[in-house]
Amino acid sequence: MANSIERPEQFFLQKYGLSTSSLESAIGRVLGKRIDYADLYFEYLTSESISLEERIVKKVSKNISQGVGVRAIAQEKTGYAYSDDINTDQLLVAAKTARYIAEEGGSRDAVPVQVTPPSRNLYPVTTPPIEIPVEEKIKLLEEIDRIARQYDPRIKKVMASFSSEYKIILIVNSQGVVTGDVLPLMRLNVSCIAEEQGNRQVGSFGGGGRSEFGYFLEERRFEEYTKEAARQAILNLSAIDAPAGVMEVVLGPGWPGILLHEAIGHGLEADFNRKGTSAFSGKIGQRVASELCTVVDDGTLPWRRGSLNVDDEGTPTGRTVLIEKGILKGYLQDRLNATLMKMPLTGNGRRESYAHSPMPRMTNTYMLAGESNPEEILRSVRKGLYAVSFGGGQVDITSGKFVFSASEAYLIENGKIGAPVKGATLIGNGPDVLTKVTMVGSDMSLDSGVGTCGKDGQSVPVGVGLPTIKISEMTVGGTKG
Protein backbone atom coordinates (compact mmCIF):
# COMPACT_ATOMS: atom_id res chain seq x y z
CA MET A 1 0.00 0.00 0.00
CA ALA A 2 2.75 2.45 0.98
CA ASN A 3 4.31 2.76 -2.46
CA SER A 4 0.97 3.32 -4.18
CA ILE A 5 0.12 6.44 -2.23
CA GLU A 6 3.32 8.40 -2.38
CA ARG A 7 1.25 10.70 -4.57
CA PRO A 8 -2.24 11.00 -3.03
CA GLU A 9 -3.69 12.62 -6.14
CA GLN A 10 -2.76 9.57 -8.21
CA PHE A 11 -4.24 7.26 -5.56
CA PHE A 12 -7.65 8.92 -5.64
CA LEU A 13 -7.76 9.45 -9.40
CA GLN A 14 -6.90 5.83 -10.13
CA LYS A 15 -8.92 4.16 -7.37
CA TYR A 16 -12.16 6.05 -8.02
CA GLY A 17 -11.94 6.67 -11.74
CA LEU A 18 -11.74 10.43 -11.36
CA SER A 19 -9.86 12.78 -13.63
CA THR A 20 -8.26 16.18 -13.26
CA SER A 21 -11.06 17.65 -15.36
CA SER A 22 -13.70 16.18 -13.02
CA LEU A 23 -12.00 17.85 -10.06
CA GLU A 24 -11.88 21.13 -11.94
CA SER A 25 -15.56 20.81 -12.84
CA ALA A 26 -16.56 20.02 -9.25
CA ILE A 27 -14.77 23.06 -7.88
CA GLY A 28 -16.31 25.16 -10.61
CA ARG A 29 -19.73 23.78 -9.67
CA VAL A 30 -19.31 24.95 -6.08
CA LEU A 31 -18.22 28.44 -7.02
CA GLY A 32 -20.69 31.16 -7.69
CA LYS A 33 -20.75 34.92 -7.74
CA ARG A 34 -21.17 35.10 -3.98
CA ILE A 35 -18.88 32.21 -3.01
CA ASP A 36 -15.49 33.40 -1.73
CA TYR A 37 -13.77 30.05 -1.43
CA ALA A 38 -14.43 26.37 -1.97
CA ASP A 39 -12.57 23.11 -1.42
CA LEU A 40 -12.88 19.35 -1.81
CA TYR A 41 -11.48 17.02 0.85
CA PHE A 42 -10.99 13.39 -0.14
CA GLU A 43 -10.17 10.80 2.52
CA TYR A 44 -9.38 7.09 2.56
CA LEU A 45 -8.85 5.65 6.05
CA THR A 46 -7.89 2.20 7.24
CA SER A 47 -8.05 1.73 11.02
CA GLU A 48 -7.37 -1.16 13.37
CA SER A 49 -7.96 -1.82 17.07
CA ILE A 50 -6.83 -4.76 19.21
CA SER A 51 -7.36 -5.18 22.95
CA LEU A 52 -6.30 -7.77 25.51
CA GLU A 53 -7.98 -8.08 28.90
CA GLU A 54 -7.27 -10.70 31.54
CA ARG A 55 -5.03 -12.58 29.09
CA ILE A 56 -7.96 -12.85 26.65
CA VAL A 57 -8.13 -11.12 23.29
CA LYS A 58 -11.31 -9.11 23.69
CA LYS A 59 -11.41 -7.28 20.41
CA VAL A 60 -9.83 -7.26 16.99
CA SER A 61 -11.36 -4.93 14.46
CA LYS A 62 -10.31 -3.45 11.16
CA ASN A 63 -12.30 -0.87 9.25
CA ILE A 64 -12.08 1.06 6.03
CA SER A 65 -13.87 4.34 5.47
CA GLN A 66 -13.81 6.69 2.52
CA GLY A 67 -15.54 9.81 1.41
CA VAL A 68 -15.35 13.34 0.14
CA GLY A 69 -16.41 16.57 1.81
CA VAL A 70 -17.25 19.71 -0.18
CA ARG A 71 -17.16 23.14 1.39
CA ALA A 72 -18.33 26.52 0.12
CA ILE A 73 -17.65 29.74 2.03
CA ALA A 74 -19.53 32.99 1.50
CA GLN A 75 -18.19 35.57 3.97
CA GLU A 76 -19.05 34.10 7.40
CA LYS A 77 -21.43 31.50 6.01
CA THR A 78 -20.24 27.96 5.31
CA GLY A 79 -21.99 25.31 3.26
CA TYR A 80 -20.77 21.75 3.76
CA ALA A 81 -21.86 18.50 2.18
CA TYR A 82 -20.24 15.08 2.05
CA SER A 83 -20.60 11.71 0.44
CA ASP A 84 -19.18 8.34 1.40
CA ASP A 85 -19.39 7.32 -2.23
CA ILE A 86 -16.56 8.80 -4.27
CA ASN A 87 -17.43 9.18 -7.93
CA THR A 88 -17.97 12.04 -10.33
CA ASP A 89 -21.75 12.08 -10.00
CA GLN A 90 -21.77 12.13 -6.20
CA LEU A 91 -19.02 14.71 -6.19
CA LEU A 92 -21.11 17.07 -8.30
CA VAL A 93 -24.18 16.51 -6.14
CA ALA A 94 -22.18 17.32 -2.99
CA ALA A 95 -20.71 20.38 -4.72
CA LYS A 96 -24.14 21.68 -5.67
CA THR A 97 -25.47 21.07 -2.16
CA ALA A 98 -22.58 22.86 -0.45
CA ARG A 99 -22.98 25.85 -2.75
CA TYR A 100 -26.71 25.97 -2.13
CA ILE A 101 -26.23 25.95 1.65
CA ALA A 102 -23.67 28.75 1.52
CA GLU A 103 -25.26 30.90 -1.11
CA GLU A 104 -26.86 30.05 -4.39
CA GLY A 105 -24.48 31.09 -7.16
CA GLY A 106 -24.34 31.05 -10.92
CA SER A 107 -20.93 30.15 -12.31
CA ARG A 108 -20.15 26.64 -13.50
CA ASP A 109 -16.83 27.42 -15.11
CA ALA A 110 -14.15 24.84 -14.38
CA VAL A 111 -11.24 25.96 -12.19
CA PRO A 112 -7.80 24.87 -13.44
CA VAL A 113 -5.93 22.98 -10.72
CA GLN A 114 -2.26 22.16 -10.22
CA VAL A 115 -0.72 19.54 -7.95
CA THR A 116 1.47 21.01 -5.18
CA PRO A 117 2.83 18.19 -2.98
CA PRO A 118 4.04 18.96 0.56
CA SER A 119 7.62 20.19 0.62
CA ARG A 120 8.59 17.77 3.40
CA ASN A 121 7.70 14.46 5.00
CA LEU A 122 7.62 14.61 8.80
CA TYR A 123 6.75 10.91 9.12
CA PRO A 124 8.51 8.84 6.42
CA VAL A 125 7.16 5.44 7.45
CA THR A 126 8.30 2.55 5.26
CA THR A 127 5.89 -0.08 6.59
CA PRO A 128 2.66 1.35 8.06
CA PRO A 129 1.85 -0.25 11.45
CA ILE A 130 -1.49 -1.36 10.09
CA GLU A 131 0.34 -3.72 7.72
CA ILE A 132 2.08 -5.58 10.56
CA PRO A 133 0.36 -8.98 11.13
CA VAL A 134 -2.25 -9.03 13.91
CA GLU A 135 -0.51 -12.02 15.49
CA GLU A 136 2.59 -9.93 16.11
CA LYS A 137 0.57 -7.25 17.86
CA ILE A 138 -1.28 -9.78 20.02
CA LYS A 139 2.07 -11.28 20.98
CA LEU A 140 3.20 -7.83 22.14
CA LEU A 141 0.05 -7.35 24.24
CA GLU A 142 0.52 -10.77 25.86
CA GLU A 143 4.10 -9.86 26.74
CA ILE A 144 2.83 -6.64 28.32
CA ASP A 145 0.37 -8.64 30.43
CA ARG A 146 3.17 -10.94 31.62
CA ILE A 147 5.49 -8.06 32.54
CA ALA A 148 2.77 -6.22 34.45
CA ARG A 149 1.86 -9.23 36.57
CA GLN A 150 5.50 -9.91 37.36
CA TYR A 151 5.97 -6.30 38.49
CA ASP A 152 4.12 -6.85 41.75
CA PRO A 153 1.75 -9.58 43.01
CA ARG A 154 -0.72 -6.86 43.95
CA ILE A 155 -1.34 -6.22 40.22
CA LYS A 156 -4.61 -8.11 39.78
CA LYS A 157 -5.87 -7.00 36.40
CA VAL A 158 -4.15 -5.90 33.20
CA MET A 159 -5.66 -4.32 30.09
CA ALA A 160 -3.58 -3.53 27.03
CA SER A 161 -4.63 -2.17 23.67
CA PHE A 162 -3.07 -1.24 20.35
CA SER A 163 -4.66 0.98 17.72
CA SER A 164 -3.41 2.29 14.42
CA GLU A 165 -4.67 4.03 11.34
CA TYR A 166 -3.46 4.92 7.91
CA LYS A 167 -5.08 7.92 6.29
CA ILE A 168 -4.67 9.30 2.79
CA ILE A 169 -6.08 12.75 2.09
CA LEU A 170 -6.34 15.02 -0.92
CA ILE A 171 -7.43 18.67 -0.87
CA VAL A 172 -8.48 20.56 -4.00
CA ASN A 173 -9.36 24.21 -3.56
CA SER A 174 -10.79 27.04 -5.61
CA GLN A 175 -7.40 28.72 -5.80
CA GLY A 176 -6.32 25.87 -8.06
CA VAL A 177 -4.16 24.10 -5.48
CA VAL A 178 -4.15 20.31 -5.23
CA THR A 179 -2.21 18.82 -2.35
CA GLY A 180 -2.39 15.76 -0.13
CA ASP A 181 -0.79 13.78 2.62
CA VAL A 182 -0.34 10.23 3.89
CA LEU A 183 -0.72 9.99 7.65
CA PRO A 184 0.26 6.94 9.72
CA LEU A 185 -0.71 6.94 13.41
CA MET A 186 -0.49 4.40 16.21
CA ARG A 187 -0.98 4.22 19.96
CA LEU A 188 -0.27 1.63 22.67
CA ASN A 189 -2.04 1.80 26.05
CA VAL A 190 -1.60 -0.18 29.26
CA SER A 191 -3.86 -0.07 32.34
CA CYS A 192 -3.23 -1.98 35.55
CA ILE A 193 -5.45 -2.46 38.59
CA ALA A 194 -3.71 -3.08 41.91
CA GLU A 195 -5.54 -4.44 44.94
CA GLU A 196 -4.60 -4.69 48.61
CA GLN A 197 -6.97 -5.36 51.47
CA GLY A 198 -9.97 -4.26 49.45
CA ASN A 199 -8.29 -1.08 48.23
CA ARG A 200 -8.26 -1.05 44.43
CA GLN A 201 -6.32 1.54 42.43
CA VAL A 202 -5.66 2.10 38.72
CA GLY A 203 -2.53 3.11 36.85
CA SER A 204 -2.37 3.86 33.14
CA PHE A 205 0.32 4.78 30.65
CA GLY A 206 0.92 4.65 26.93
CA GLY A 207 2.46 6.31 23.93
CA GLY A 208 2.69 6.44 20.18
CA GLY A 209 2.97 8.76 17.22
CA ARG A 210 3.26 8.77 13.44
CA SER A 211 5.93 6.05 13.44
CA GLU A 212 6.76 2.45 12.54
CA PHE A 213 5.48 -0.40 14.74
CA GLY A 214 9.11 -1.01 15.70
CA TYR A 215 9.02 2.23 17.69
CA PHE A 216 7.45 0.34 20.59
CA LEU A 217 10.18 -2.33 20.45
CA GLU A 218 13.10 0.12 20.43
CA GLU A 219 14.83 -0.03 23.81
CA ARG A 220 11.81 -2.08 24.90
CA ARG A 221 9.67 1.04 25.07
CA PHE A 222 6.58 -1.13 25.58
CA GLU A 223 8.13 -2.46 28.80
CA GLU A 224 8.66 1.09 30.02
CA TYR A 225 4.96 1.84 29.44
CA THR A 226 3.94 -1.35 31.27
CA LYS A 227 6.10 -0.76 34.34
CA GLU A 228 4.95 2.86 34.51
CA ALA A 229 1.27 1.80 34.54
CA ALA A 230 1.98 -0.82 37.19
CA ARG A 231 4.04 1.62 39.27
CA GLN A 232 1.22 4.17 39.31
CA ALA A 233 -1.33 1.55 40.40
CA ILE A 234 0.89 0.32 43.25
CA LEU A 235 1.76 3.88 44.28
CA ASN A 236 -1.90 4.86 44.53
CA LEU A 237 -2.50 2.05 47.05
CA SER A 238 -0.57 4.11 49.59
CA ALA A 239 -1.96 7.51 48.57
CA ILE A 240 -3.59 9.62 51.27
CA ASP A 241 -6.50 12.01 50.87
CA ALA A 242 -5.55 15.20 49.06
CA PRO A 243 -5.60 18.46 51.01
CA ALA A 244 -7.97 21.27 50.03
CA GLY A 245 -7.31 24.96 49.85
CA VAL A 246 -5.19 27.60 48.11
CA MET A 247 -1.53 26.65 47.95
CA GLU A 248 1.61 26.65 45.83
CA VAL A 249 1.45 24.10 43.01
CA VAL A 250 4.27 22.59 40.99
CA LEU A 251 3.43 20.91 37.68
CA GLY A 252 5.81 18.24 36.44
CA PRO A 253 7.20 18.11 32.88
CA GLY A 254 5.52 16.44 29.90
CA TRP A 255 1.90 15.30 30.10
CA PRO A 256 0.81 18.03 32.60
CA GLY A 257 1.00 20.23 29.50
CA ILE A 258 -2.57 18.98 28.92
CA LEU A 259 -3.57 21.69 31.40
CA LEU A 260 -1.85 24.24 29.14
CA HIS A 261 -3.69 22.79 26.13
CA GLU A 262 -7.11 22.94 27.74
CA ALA A 263 -6.87 26.05 29.89
CA ILE A 264 -4.85 28.24 27.49
CA GLY A 265 -4.65 26.66 24.05
CA HIS A 266 -8.38 26.49 23.27
CA GLY A 267 -8.73 30.10 24.30
CA LEU A 268 -6.19 31.04 21.60
CA GLU A 269 -8.07 29.38 18.72
CA ALA A 270 -9.17 31.98 16.21
CA ASP A 271 -12.89 31.15 16.01
CA PHE A 272 -13.46 31.97 19.68
CA ASN A 273 -11.45 35.18 19.38
CA ARG A 274 -13.12 36.35 16.17
CA LYS A 275 -16.47 36.00 17.87
CA GLY A 276 -15.16 37.68 21.02
CA THR A 277 -16.02 34.72 23.23
CA SER A 278 -12.52 33.93 24.49
CA ALA A 279 -10.85 35.30 27.58
CA PHE A 280 -8.00 36.28 25.20
CA SER A 281 -10.15 38.18 22.66
CA GLY A 282 -8.68 41.52 21.57
CA LYS A 283 -5.57 41.14 23.71
CA ILE A 284 -2.83 40.72 21.09
CA GLY A 285 0.13 42.79 22.20
CA GLN A 286 -1.02 42.78 25.82
CA ARG A 287 0.57 40.98 28.76
CA VAL A 288 -1.43 37.85 29.52
CA ALA A 289 1.15 35.80 31.39
CA SER A 290 4.28 35.92 33.47
CA GLU A 291 7.32 37.08 31.49
CA LEU A 292 8.72 33.60 32.13
CA CYS A 293 6.07 32.08 29.84
CA THR A 294 6.56 31.48 26.12
CA VAL A 295 3.96 29.19 24.55
CA VAL A 296 4.10 27.79 21.02
CA ASP A 297 2.07 25.50 18.79
CA ASP A 298 4.28 23.49 16.45
CA GLY A 299 2.91 21.10 13.84
CA THR A 300 6.33 20.44 12.30
CA LEU A 301 7.89 18.13 14.91
CA PRO A 302 8.95 14.87 13.17
CA TRP A 303 7.06 11.69 14.11
CA ARG A 304 4.85 13.44 16.67
CA ARG A 305 1.18 12.55 17.12
CA GLY A 306 0.00 16.13 16.59
CA SER A 307 2.23 16.87 13.58
CA LEU A 308 1.03 17.33 9.99
CA ASN A 309 2.79 18.04 6.72
CA VAL A 310 -0.23 20.10 5.71
CA ASP A 311 -3.38 20.82 7.67
CA ASP A 312 -6.80 19.60 6.53
CA GLU A 313 -7.16 22.65 4.29
CA GLY A 314 -3.84 21.99 2.54
CA THR A 315 -1.89 24.74 4.34
CA PRO A 316 1.64 23.75 5.43
CA THR A 317 1.81 23.59 9.22
CA GLY A 318 4.25 25.81 11.09
CA ARG A 319 5.60 26.87 14.44
CA THR A 320 3.36 29.60 15.82
CA VAL A 321 4.43 31.64 18.82
CA LEU A 322 1.26 32.31 20.77
CA ILE A 323 2.66 33.94 23.91
CA GLU A 324 6.22 35.32 24.03
CA LYS A 325 7.66 36.28 27.41
CA GLY A 326 4.15 36.85 28.67
CA ILE A 327 2.91 38.94 25.70
CA LEU A 328 0.09 37.59 23.53
CA LYS A 329 1.38 37.35 19.94
CA GLY A 330 -1.35 35.66 17.94
CA TYR A 331 -4.05 33.06 17.47
CA LEU A 332 -4.33 29.66 15.82
CA GLN A 333 -5.91 30.17 12.41
CA ASP A 334 -7.81 28.18 9.83
CA ARG A 335 -8.64 29.68 6.45
CA LEU A 336 -12.11 31.03 7.26
CA ASN A 337 -11.12 32.86 10.42
CA ALA A 338 -7.78 34.09 9.06
CA THR A 339 -9.62 35.67 6.13
CA LEU A 340 -12.26 37.32 8.28
CA MET A 341 -9.70 38.53 10.83
CA LYS A 342 -7.25 39.60 8.11
CA MET A 343 -4.49 37.58 9.71
CA PRO A 344 -2.00 35.09 8.20
CA LEU A 345 -2.73 31.38 7.99
CA THR A 346 -0.96 29.27 10.62
CA GLY A 347 -1.76 25.75 9.32
CA ASN A 348 -4.23 24.92 12.10
CA GLY A 349 -7.33 24.07 10.04
CA ARG A 350 -8.23 20.55 11.17
CA ARG A 351 -11.16 18.15 10.90
CA GLU A 352 -11.94 14.69 12.22
CA SER A 353 -12.92 13.27 8.85
CA TYR A 354 -14.44 14.00 5.44
CA ALA A 355 -17.81 14.24 7.19
CA HIS A 356 -16.71 17.27 9.19
CA SER A 357 -15.99 20.89 8.33
CA PRO A 358 -12.54 22.15 9.42
CA MET A 359 -12.01 24.57 12.28
CA PRO A 360 -9.00 26.01 14.17
CA ARG A 361 -7.33 23.29 16.28
CA MET A 362 -4.02 22.83 18.06
CA THR A 363 -1.23 20.50 16.88
CA ASN A 364 1.61 20.14 19.42
CA THR A 365 1.27 22.86 22.07
CA TYR A 366 3.90 23.46 24.71
CA MET A 367 5.73 25.97 26.88
CA LEU A 368 9.42 26.59 26.23
CA ALA A 369 11.98 25.68 28.87
CA GLY A 370 13.15 28.21 31.43
CA GLU A 371 16.33 28.48 33.43
CA SER A 372 15.41 27.02 36.83
CA ASN A 373 16.65 23.67 38.02
CA PRO A 374 13.59 21.42 38.62
CA GLU A 375 14.96 20.36 42.02
CA GLU A 376 15.44 24.01 42.91
CA ILE A 377 11.76 24.63 42.07
CA LEU A 378 10.64 21.89 44.46
CA ARG A 379 13.00 23.08 47.20
CA SER A 380 11.46 26.56 47.01
CA VAL A 381 8.02 25.31 48.10
CA ARG A 382 7.29 25.22 51.83
CA LYS A 383 3.87 23.59 51.57
CA GLY A 384 2.12 22.70 48.34
CA LEU A 385 1.16 20.12 45.76
CA TYR A 386 3.32 18.46 43.09
CA ALA A 387 1.14 17.24 40.20
CA VAL A 388 2.87 14.79 37.89
CA SER A 389 0.02 13.46 35.76
CA PHE A 390 -3.58 14.33 34.98
CA GLY A 391 -6.73 12.46 34.07
CA GLY A 392 -9.83 14.25 32.88
CA GLY A 393 -10.66 17.92 32.97
CA GLN A 394 -13.12 20.59 31.90
CA VAL A 395 -12.63 24.16 30.75
CA ASP A 396 -14.94 27.09 29.95
CA ILE A 397 -13.38 28.88 26.96
CA THR A 398 -15.29 32.11 27.59
CA SER A 399 -14.14 32.58 31.15
CA GLY A 400 -11.00 30.46 31.06
CA LYS A 401 -12.09 28.60 34.20
CA PHE A 402 -10.93 24.97 34.45
CA VAL A 403 -11.08 21.92 36.69
CA PHE A 404 -8.57 19.09 36.31
CA SER A 405 -8.16 15.81 38.18
CA ALA A 406 -4.62 14.74 39.04
CA SER A 407 -3.97 11.04 38.52
CA GLU A 408 -0.57 11.23 40.24
CA ALA A 409 0.29 13.93 42.78
CA TYR A 410 2.31 14.39 45.96
CA LEU A 411 2.45 16.71 48.92
CA ILE A 412 5.41 19.08 49.07
CA GLU A 413 6.56 19.82 52.59
CA ASN A 414 9.53 22.03 53.37
CA GLY A 415 10.95 21.64 49.89
CA LYS A 416 10.72 17.86 49.77
CA ILE A 417 8.34 15.53 47.96
CA GLY A 418 6.11 13.86 50.52
CA ALA A 419 3.26 11.36 50.47
CA PRO A 420 1.29 10.59 47.30
CA VAL A 421 -2.27 11.90 47.38
CA LYS A 422 -5.50 10.80 45.75
CA GLY A 423 -8.57 12.76 44.75
CA ALA A 424 -6.71 16.00 44.01
CA THR A 425 -8.26 18.46 41.57
CA LEU A 426 -6.79 21.72 40.34
CA ILE A 427 -9.27 24.56 39.99
CA GLY A 428 -8.40 27.86 38.36
CA ASN A 429 -8.60 30.31 35.52
CA GLY A 430 -6.24 29.82 32.59
CA PRO A 431 -5.15 33.43 31.99
CA ASP A 432 -4.92 34.03 35.75
CA VAL A 433 -2.76 30.95 36.32
CA LEU A 434 -0.27 32.05 33.64
CA THR A 435 0.32 35.33 35.50
CA LYS A 436 1.20 33.36 38.63
CA VAL A 437 3.97 31.26 37.11
CA THR A 438 7.00 32.23 39.19
CA MET A 439 9.54 29.59 38.14
CA VAL A 440 10.02 27.66 34.87
CA GLY A 441 12.29 24.63 34.73
CA SER A 442 14.96 23.73 32.22
CA ASP A 443 13.45 20.27 31.64
CA MET A 444 10.78 20.81 28.98
CA SER A 445 9.54 17.53 27.61
CA LEU A 446 6.71 16.47 25.34
CA ASP A 447 4.11 13.88 26.26
CA SER A 448 4.55 10.25 25.22
CA GLY A 449 2.04 10.50 22.38
CA VAL A 450 -1.46 9.79 23.67
CA GLY A 451 -3.31 13.10 23.39
CA THR A 452 -6.68 13.42 21.68
CA CYS A 453 -8.47 16.76 21.57
CA GLY A 454 -12.24 17.11 21.47
CA LYS A 455 -14.02 20.20 20.15
CA ASP A 456 -17.56 20.58 18.82
CA GLY A 457 -17.91 16.80 18.69
CA GLN A 458 -14.76 16.31 16.61
CA SER A 459 -11.66 14.44 17.85
CA VAL A 460 -8.14 14.92 16.47
CA PRO A 461 -4.72 13.70 17.69
CA VAL A 462 -2.57 16.33 19.44
CA GLY A 463 0.64 16.65 21.44
CA VAL A 464 1.37 18.66 24.59
CA GLY A 465 4.48 19.59 26.54
CA LEU A 466 5.63 21.50 29.59
CA PRO A 467 8.73 22.05 31.68
CA THR A 468 8.44 21.85 35.46
CA ILE A 469 6.71 25.07 36.52
CA LYS A 470 5.77 26.64 39.82
CA ILE A 471 2.47 28.47 40.28
CA SER A 472 2.48 30.75 43.29
CA GLU A 473 -1.10 29.92 44.26
CA MET A 474 -3.89 27.76 42.95
CA THR A 475 -7.03 26.24 44.44
CA VAL A 476 -6.64 22.54 45.16
CA GLY A 477 -9.82 20.59 45.61
CA GLY A 478 -9.38 17.64 47.94
CA THR A 479 -11.13 15.75 50.69
CA LYS A 480 -8.86 16.81 53.53
CA GLY A 481 -9.13 20.33 54.90
Side-chain angles (χ1 to χ4, degrees):
M1 178 186 287
N3 291 335
S4 66
I5 44 76
E6 289 178 354
R7 296 185 59 184
E9 75 281 3
Q10 291 298 327
F11 172 82
F12 283 102
L13 294 182
Q14 293 173 7
K15 186 173 181 66
Y16 299 104
L18 300 173
S19 64
T20 301
S21 62
S22 64
L23 299 181
E24 294 173 339
S25 296
I27 278 289
R29 185 68 65 92
V30 186
L31 288 176
K33 293 179 180 177
R34 300 173 185 172
I35 302 297
D36 302 315
Y37 174 85
D39 61 18
L40 317 175
Y41 176 87
F42 294 88
E43 178 185 276
Y44 182 88
L45 172 69
T46 307
S47 60
E48 177 187 61
S49 180
I50 304 169
S51 63
L52 185 82
E53 185 174 335
E54 291 300 273
R55 301 190 179 97
I56 298 172
V57 177
K58 285 286 187 179
K59 174 186 175 185
V60 177
S61 67
K62 196 165 189 174
N63 300 293
I64 295 175
S65 67
Q66 59 189 14
V68 56
V70 182
R71 179 173 60 154
I73 296 176
Q75 297 185 350
E76 294 189 35
K77 197 171 180 181
T78 297
Y80 197 81
Y82 68 91
S83 168
D84 56 9
D85 191 2
I86 301 176
N87 59 55
T88 300
D89 292 341
Q90 290 300 319
L91 187 57
L92 294 178
V93 169
K96 182 179 179 181
T97 304
R99 188 189 68 185
Y100 180 81
I101 296 170
E103 192 71 47
E104 183 65 29
S107 172
R108 293 190 178 185
D109 293 339
V111 175
V113 297
Q114 183 172 3
V115 176
T116 307
S119 59
R120 65 197 172 197
N121 189 356
L122 298 170
Y123 19 87
V125 168
T126 302
T127 304
I130 205 156
E131 294 187 5
I132 301 297
V134 170
E135 292 78 11
E136 192 169 334
K137 296 161 185 169
I138 292 175
K139 184 179 177 181
L140 174 65
L141 299 182
E142 291 173 338
E143 177 67 0
I144 287 172
D145 184 281
R146 185 189 66 79
I147 293 171
R149 293 177 192 279
Q150 283 188 343
Y151 184 85
D152 192 294
R154 290 173 290 178
I155 297 295
K156 301 299 183 184
K157 193 171 184 179
V158 181
M159 294 152 285
S161 63
F162 172 86
S163 60
S164 68
E165 65 178 47
Y166 197 61
K167 181 189 291 188
I168 310 164
I169 64 171
L170 182 70
I171 300 112
V172 183
N173 72 26
S174 55
Q175 296 174 339
V177 175
V178 178
T179 191
D181 200 5
V182 180
L183 302 108
L185 184 68
M186 63 175 185
R187 174 172 163 170
L188 180 64
N189 274 84
V190 185
S191 292
C192 297
I193 295 178
E195 183 174 359
E196 185 176 47
Q197 297 178 345
N199 180 17
R200 291 165 63 91
Q201 298 294 334
V202 179
S204 298
F205 200 77
R210 302 192 186 281
S211 305
E212 306 266 356
F213 181 71
Y215 171 81
F216 294 128
L217 308 181
E218 293 171 2
E219 301 176 351
R220 293 180 66 81
R221 199 169 269 123
F222 71 93
E223 183 171 347
E224 173 192 338
Y225 296 171
T226 306
K227 290 182 176 178
E228 179 61 21
R231 183 195 66 79
Q232 286 185 18
I234 296 297
L235 175 80
N236 287 332
L237 288 175
S238 60
I240 62 175
D241 291 338
V246 177
M247 63 187 74
E248 290 181 308
V249 171
V250 175
L251 302 182
W255 179 241
I258 188 64
L259 191 146
L260 183 74
H261 169 104
E262 296 289 4
I264 310 298
H266 279 299
L268 295 174
E269 291 168 340
D271 46 355
F272 299 123
N273 288 281
R274 178 174 65 82
K275 297 170 184 173
T277 57
S278 167
F280 294 100
S281 298
K283 293 188 176 180
I284 288 181
Q286 297 181 26
R287 178 167 296 284
V288 296
S290 157
E291 64 179 9
L292 299 174
C293 297
T294 296
V295 179
V296 303
D297 183 88
D298 192 346
T300 69
L301 303 176
W303 312 108
R304 295 296 305 179
R305 181 174 170 83
S307 295
L308 303 165
N309 290 315
V310 295
D311 70 4
D312 293 326
E313 296 178 312
T315 305
T317 55
R319 180 180 186 273
T320 304
V321 177
L322 298 169
I323 296 172
E324 185 174 30
K325 296 181 178 179
I327 305 298
L328 182 60
K329 291 295 184 180
Y331 303 127
L332 298 171
Q333 298 283 357
D334 65 343
R335 186 173 293 274
L336 171 63
N337 289 283
T339 300
L340 294 173
M341 297 177 80
K342 296 181 171 53
M343 290 183 172
L345 293 168
T346 59
N348 289 91
R350 304 190 65 185
R351 64 181 104 196
E352 181 176 309
S353 76
Y354 66 89
H356 301 83
S357 185
M359 66 179 99
R361 308 292 296 270
M362 286 171 271
T363 57
N364 305 296
T365 311
Y366 55 94
M367 182 183 292
L368 300 191
E371 297 180 352
S372 297
N373 184 309
E375 295 179 357
E376 174 192 351
I377 294 175
L378 289 167
R379 282 199 299 270
S380 72
V381 177
R382 188 182 65 83
K383 183 178 181 180
L385 188 81
Y386 179 37
V388 178
S389 186
F390 288 100
Q394 292 182 326
V395 62
D396 181 338
I397 302 299
T398 303
S399 66
K401 293 180 180 178
F402 64 80
V403 177
F404 269 85
S405 300
S407 57
E408 182 178 355
Y410 303 83
L411 297 175
I412 308 175
E413 296 175 315
N414 298 318
K416 295 182 180 179
I417 297 176
V421 299
K422 58 186 176 184
T425 57
L426 296 185
I427 304 165
N429 177 285
D432 180 58
V433 165
L434 279 190
T435 65
K436 294 178 178 175
V437 174
T438 55
M439 299 180 80
V440 176
S442 56
D443 58 343
M444 201 293 288
S445 67
L446 298 170
D447 75 295
S448 58
V450 296
T452 297
C453 172
K455 178 181 175 182
D456 288 353
Q458 293 191 41
S459 296
V460 296
V462 295
V464 299
L466 195 72
T468 298
I469 65 171
K470 175 182 171 181
I471 300 163
S472 60
E473 62 175 34
M474 185 183 288
T475 300
V476 176
T479 55
K480 184 178 178 182

